[in-house]
Amino acid sequence: QVQLVESGGGVVQPGESLRLSCAASGFTFSTSAMNWYRQPPGKEREFLAAITSTGGDTVVADSVKGRFTVSRDNAKNTLYLEMSDLKPEDTAVYFCNSPKARAWGQGTQVTVSS
């Protein structure tokens, strides 16, 4: 059973940081490129970041470049998204995605509000 489970979301003030995690199971995570997306309220789902299977290469969307970093720990079958200097416009449900497994997580809510 393929599973992707995001965690680490919450409510933070502008300027603060969060690290999201995506725990993967049911497929060979270590050979799978992985993605992060987010969906703000009332908006379309937006691509954020991608990482190769080894973690050797990453792509981060221009809108969050310099603030967000994608990484992974293949020994733990876990994908990460480190978010810093959070802004109200970062408020969204954040999803991880495996193209190889054709799977999405359930999402984790990030709310940035003063």
Side-chain angles (χ1 to χ4, degrees):
Q1 183 85 359
V2 172
Q3 282 195 67
L4 296 171
V5 181
E6 301 95 337
S7 61
V11 180
V12 297
Q13 293 185 319
E16 295 184 340
S17 300
L18 282 175
R19 186 175 80 160
L20 306 183
S21 298
C22 171
S25 60
F27 66 100
T28 306
F29 178 79
S30 62
T31 61
S32 303
M34 298 291 295
N35 302 317
W36 283 102
Y37 288 77
R38 69 183 179 187
Q39 188 165 24
K43 304 294 200 311
E44 294 183 356
R45 190 168 296 187
E46 171 192 16
F47 171 80
L48 289 177
I51 187 167
T52 57
S53 60
T54 64
D57 247 338
T58 62
V59 174
V60 180
D62 288 343
S63 60
V64 298
K65 192 171 295 181
R67 298 191 298 118
F68 288 19
T69 301
V70 60
S71 61
R72 66 194 296 158
D73 186 340
N74 284 348
K76 295 183 176 181
N77 284 354
T78 302
L79 175 73
Y80 301 102
L81 184 68
E82 295 175 273
M83 307 183 295
S84 64
D85 191 24
L86 284 162
K87 305 176 184 299
E89 52 263 43
D90 295 319
T91 295
V93 178
Y94 285 70
F95 300 90
C96 62
N97 161 248
S98 169
K100 186 172 185 178
R102 299 177 178 177
W104 294 83
Q106 84 291 344
T108 186
Q109 176 71 47
V110 173
T111 301
V112 185
S113 176
S114 59

